[in-house]
Amino acid sequence: MKVKVTKKENVTPIVIDTEFIKLDSALKYANAVESGGMAKMIIQDGQVKVNGEVCTMRGKKLRPGDQVCFNGCTYLVCANEA
């Protein structure tokens, strides 16, 4: 008997009220980094993926549906439905 084990990825939502949020701001908002300076360094160092691809643009506009991966965590940008 074969057993297939799948790891369920834990996704943290980043809920926004605007049309978009910039990548560095999203990381700060999600408490993934301590400061804007740290966000800038890790983004420029290529440690962040947006929708599965490495992104080195800290001003990258993220819209609802975009996924950000950093340090083993995944964040999903969501629109506020209020």
Side-chain angles (χ1 to χ4, degrees):
M1 176 180 185
K2 286 188 175 183
V3 176
K4 185 176 180 182
V5 178
T6 57
K7 181 181 175 187
K8 188 172 181 180
E9 197 171 350
N10 190 13
V11 178
T12 304
I14 299 175
V15 181
I16 60 173
D17 294 323
T18 56
E19 179 184 348
F20 63 86
I21 186 170
K22 292 185 180 180
L23 179 56
D24 59 347
S25 298
L27 290 171
K28 289 188 299 184
Y29 181 70
N31 292 319
V33 295
E34 295 178 12
S35 68
M38 184 177 179
K40 178 181 175 180
M41 288 186 342
I42 63 150
I43 293 167
Q44 289 179 340
D45 195 35
Q47 297 181 40
V48 179
K49 288 185 178 182
V50 175
N51 297 327
E53 296 183 14
V54 174
C55 181
T56 57
M57 300 181 305
R58 69 179 183 159
K60 168 89 173 149
K61 292 179 180 176
L62 303 175
R63 292 180 165 78
D66 286 338
Q67 278 194 345
V68 177
C69 296
F70 167 66
N71 202 22
C73 298
T74 302
Y75 304 92
L76 177 66
V77 179
C78 304
N80 187 356
E81 299 296 327

